[in-house]
Amino acid sequence: MDSQGDGGAGQGPGPPPSGDTGATHGDLIVVTIGATVPTGFEHTATEEVNEKIGVDARISKDRGRIYFPITTDKLSQVHLLRSVDNLFVVVKEYDSYQFKDSKEETLMELQQLASKLPWTNALEVWKLNCSLKKKKGNRKGGGGTKLKPNSETSDAVVADTEEQAPPEAVAAAEGRTNAENTPDTEACTQDSEESAAAAKLIKFRVTCSRAGDKHSFSSNEAARDFGGAVQEFFQWKADMTKFDIEVLLNIHNEEMVIGIALTEESLHRRNISHFGPTTLRSTLCYGMLRLCKPQASDIILDPMCGTGAIPLEGAIEFTDSFYIAGDNNDMAVNRTVNNICHIQKRRAGKSSASGLPIDTVRWDLCNLPIRTSSVDIIITDMPFGKRMGSKKRNWDLYPSCLREMARVCRPGSGKAVLLTQDKKCFAKAISRMGGLWRKLHTVWVNVGGLHAAVYLLKRTGLVFGQAPEEFHESPGKADIQSEEKGDAELS
């Protein structure tokens, strides 16, 4: 990662200049991939990258992002990661970019930067990514990659590396063709050549994500001026909605990363077809599941399943456990059943085993039809008291459901992973459990802009029913400071 510098010219054939984020090894290109991940689960994402890709990932200063190197033959595997939301290939990184005090000088510098960046390898990866999406679409029987609503499907969108030649190369090729044509055939081919050039004209947009209060410019101003320079350099056409390439300009205080997006929509939407009012992202569900480390033959319970996002992610990724999804709301249970059916049909279409180790039940959360001490792991998204329920109701609900969870969970070995934004109510409810639960770890997360926490609890060895009822354990000073620190980190 550079502190600051030109980075060398980037367009054209040949090896990347010194300081580039990519390198070539034979036919393979080594590039840096950036990924957005659920805030708070960055370490979970780096662990998964190491396990499945075999490389070490680093966490960005800006929470919710990780970076890791890959060779281009691993690109398809990167898209199978369960903990990442969006992917992009890094064009250039600046660890400490010295932005000018004047807005005009800074924007002028961003304009000049566009022609100095090492674009070559990143664009090659983008082309390869397009060809992978085209192959995936063909396997599904589709006519190509489906972009955003109302977008046009053209050769430029899903073309392979030969079809996605830069406009300069296209113009040169046309010049040679025209020189070889006779006067009789030149007029006949003029229209077709113009239409081919139009079809191959790449459309793009620049998206700027900025954090920090010491910048003299806005995100829109940076995207506008940098985008204008990119357009002038490549002769691409700007299009905010039907774009082929999305150039990313991520600025966090002094850190600046320029990249090209590799995903058209977030990978967290992979499992759910029937959404509810509070559906969790699948990537967040994966992080919660990894936190409790499911083992073979574990019985895993989600007593407030909503749309079934958590048990569905578990049944797909951690297949050696069995999942029970339940809710007291008929609509929620129906959504879960529909989502399970959707996944089963999709798996059957891929000629893979369509069955999932999951079952769905409608029940009373505080009176579960489950034998005492029979569940290994409980994992659920508890009501925040915002879109569902109320803060006032949580003061009665939380103690009741925690007590019922303690009853069905195995003493000594059972675990619970619980997500909530109502941290004060949760801390009070835990203190009234008579020592049935012990808090092991807290992950501070951002859920739809709300500062929430994922609590990892261990079921103590106390036998349910023998612990002193309504035992009040005052939250320690360390717990209170930890809650305040977590809120400050998310802010």
Side-chain angles (χ1 to χ4, degrees):
M1 186 183 293
D2 290 354
S3 294
Q4 187 167 350
D6 291 347
Q11 182 61 24
S18 176
D20 195 353
T21 55
T24 55
H25 293 274
D27 293 334
L28 298 177
I29 303 174
V30 181
V31 293
T32 299
I33 296 294
T36 60
V37 302
T39 303
F41 282 104
E42 294 88 352
H43 287 286
T44 298
T46 61
E47 290 173 4
E48 187 192 14
V49 168
N50 185 265
E51 290 175 9
K52 297 180 178 179
I53 309 297
V55 297
D56 292 327
R58 55 184 171 82
I59 299 172
S60 169
K61 295 178 184 177
D62 184 13
R63 295 190 73 198
R65 284 194 180 93
I66 64 169
Y67 297 96
F68 54 95
I70 67 160
T71 50
T72 46
D73 59 328
K74 298 288 184 67
L75 184 59
S76 59
Q77 297 178 37
V78 172
H79 281 274
L80 299 178
L81 293 172
R82 311 294 294 187
S83 57
V84 303
D85 288 318
N86 291 286
L87 296 165
F88 58 94
V89 57
V90 173
V91 175
K92 189 73 176 175
E93 295 178 81
Y94 297 96
D95 186 41
S96 182
Y97 194 93
Q98 301 302 314
F99 292 101
K100 305 294 185 184
D101 293 333
S102 164
K103 179 199 293 188
E104 290 73 18
E105 287 181 326
T106 301
L107 295 177
M108 179 60 69
E109 197 171 65
L110 286 176
Q111 293 177 34
Q112 296 170 352
L113 185 64
S115 61
K116 300 175 182 178
L117 292 171
W119 296 95
T120 308
N121 284 344
L123 286 172
E124 287 298 322
V125 172
W126 171 76
K127 295 170 191 174
L128 175 61
N129 195 65
C130 287
S131 67
L132 290 174
K133 288 186 290 186
K134 183 178 181 181
K135 291 176 183 176
K136 185 178 179 181
N138 289 341
R139 285 198 300 270
K140 291 180 178 179
T145 302
K146 186 175 181 180
L147 284 182
K148 295 172 176 54
N150 300 324
S151 65
E152 296 173 352
T153 302
S154 66
D155 292 339
V157 177
V158 297
D160 58 21
T161 54
E162 292 183 359
E163 293 170 336
Q164 286 288 1
E168 295 89 344
V170 173
E174 288 174 355
R176 288 193 299 271
T177 303
N178 288 339
E180 295 170 358
N181 285 335
T182 62
D184 294 336
T185 59
E186 185 173 349
C188 300
T189 58
Q190 183 176 358
D191 292 341
S192 61
E193 287 171 353
E194 289 178 356
S195 61
K200 292 180 180 179
L201 182 62
I202 295 176
K203 293 179 279 189
F204 85 107
R205 81 172 185 186
V206 172
T207 301
C208 178
S209 173
R210 184 183 62 85
D213 54 4
K214 295 183 179 180
H215 301 134
S216 60
F217 55 91
S218 68
S219 299
N220 286 337
E221 289 169 335
R224 179 197 65 203
D225 285 40
F226 182 71
V230 170
Q231 181 180 27
E232 183 177 347
F233 180 62
F234 286 107
Q235 295 300 303
W236 292 342
K237 180 182 178 182
D239 195 316
M240 298 298 104
T241 55
K242 301 174 184 177
F243 53 88
D244 305 320
I245 295 183
E246 183 175 21
V247 178
L248 305 175
L249 183 61
N250 297 326
I251 301 171
H252 179 74
N253 293 325
E254 293 182 346
E255 182 184 44
M256 181 167 73
V257 180
I258 298 98
I260 296 176
L262 299 178
T263 47
E264 293 161 4
E265 66 174 5
S266 176
L267 299 177
H268 80 258
R269 303 174 67 89
R270 56 182 172 254
N271 296 337
I272 306 300
S273 58
H274 295 71
F275 290 83
T278 59
T279 301
L280 273 188
R281 291 185 293 171
S282 296
T283 45
L284 180 55
C285 298
Y286 178 80
M288 293 173 66
L289 284 156
R290 278 191 70 111
L291 199 60
C292 61
K293 297 180 172 63
Q295 303 297 314
S297 76
D298 276 353
I299 303 298
I300 301 179
L301 176 71
D302 184 351
M304 295 175 272
C305 67
T307 58
I310 296 174
L312 256 178
E313 181 67 20
I316 294 170
E317 184 66 13
F318 303 95
T319 57
D320 292 333
S321 302
F322 186 80
Y323 301 83
I324 305 175
D327 206 288
N328 67 345
N329 185 288
D330 285 327
M331 290 181 65
V333 174
N334 288 337
R335 289 190 189 107
T336 300
V337 171
N338 288 330
N339 284 324
I340 293 171
C341 292
H342 169 72
I343 295 295
Q344 288 175 331
K345 289 178 182 178
R346 191 171 72 188
R347 288 161 69 94
K350 293 180 179 179
S351 300
S352 58
S354 59
L356 292 171
I358 186 172
D359 206 350
T360 310
V361 189
R362 186 190 183 283
W363 55 31
D364 177 3
L365 164 66
C366 300
N367 188 24
L368 299 174
I370 293 180
R371 191 171 66 245
T372 300
S373 306
S374 61
V375 173
D376 297 287
I377 295 171
I378 297 172
I379 179 166
T380 197
D381 173 17
M382 302 182 76
F384 288 12
K386 298 281 188 180
R387 297 179 198 165
M388 297 289 287
S390 66
K391 295 273 189 180
K392 183 177 180 181
R393 187 175 173 225
N394 283 351
W395 286 97
D396 294 323
L397 176 66
Y398 278 24
S400 298
C401 69
L402 281 169
R403 190 174 294 109
E404 185 65 358
M405 290 177 189
R407 180 185 71 79
V408 301
C409 200
R410 298 188 194 278
S413 63
K415 290 174 284 189
V417 176
L418 308 176
L419 168 67
T420 180
Q421 190 261 342
D422 199 346
K423 299 180 286 292
K424 185 183 292 185
C425 179
F426 184 84
K428 185 68 174 177
I430 285 290
S431 71
R432 295 171 59 185
M433 288 299 102
L436 292 170
W437 292 109
R438 180 164 58 91
K439 187 166 68 174
L440 297 180
H441 185 57
T442 305
V443 178
W444 307 105
V445 297
N446 189 312
V447 182
L450 298 175
H451 297 171
V454 176
Y455 295 99
L456 173 61
L457 307 179
K458 175 73 178 293
R459 176 67 166 87
T460 64
L462 292 177
V463 179
F464 183 83
Q466 295 183 7
E469 288 296 318
E470 295 296 318
F471 173 78
H472 291 271
E473 180 184 337
S474 299
K477 184 178 180 181
D479 288 339
I480 296 173
Q481 291 176 343
S482 177
E483 302 279 342
E484 293 174 349
K485 181 182 177 182
D487 283 339
E489 286 178 356
L490 288 173
S491 299

